[in-house]
Amino acid sequence: MPAIVGTVNVNAIGASGVFNIGDVYNISPKSAVKTYAGAGSFVTGNNLKINNYHSVTNTNDNDVLDQNVTANI
């Protein structure tokens, strides 16, 4: 539905963000991320005790491309 839009100030748009003014049928941004985390990294709660004496996170990644996101189709 058409509308009259006044002044728009965009400070920043993230890598997988979308900015749209006007009519749109479908917006589907695509992104891919790789996260390295050791044992107990994403544990949340109160009064936690985590013992990871021999935990190692291997971050050696020799390949160049893991998940290719080339087009927003």
Side-chain angles (χ1 to χ4, degrees):
M1 180 173 205
I4 298 173
V5 178
T7 304
V8 176
N9 182 16
V10 178
N11 292 327
I13 296 177
S16 63
V18 173
F19 177 74
N20 179 59
I21 295 178
D23 297 340
V24 66
Y25 172 73
N26 186 10
I27 297 178
S28 58
K30 294 174 176 59
S31 66
V33 252
K34 181 184 285 189
T35 304
Y36 297 109
S41 296
F42 299 115
V43 178
T44 58
N46 296 325
N47 301 321
L48 294 174
K49 183 178 180 182
I50 301 170
N51 296 319
N52 293 318
Y53 297 112
H54 300 288
S55 176
V56 175
T57 302
N58 183 9
T59 59
N60 185 11
D61 187 12
N62 294 328
D63 58 345
V64 177
L65 301 172
D66 291 324
Q67 296 177 351
N68 301 331
V69 178
T70 57
N72 194 10
I73 299 173

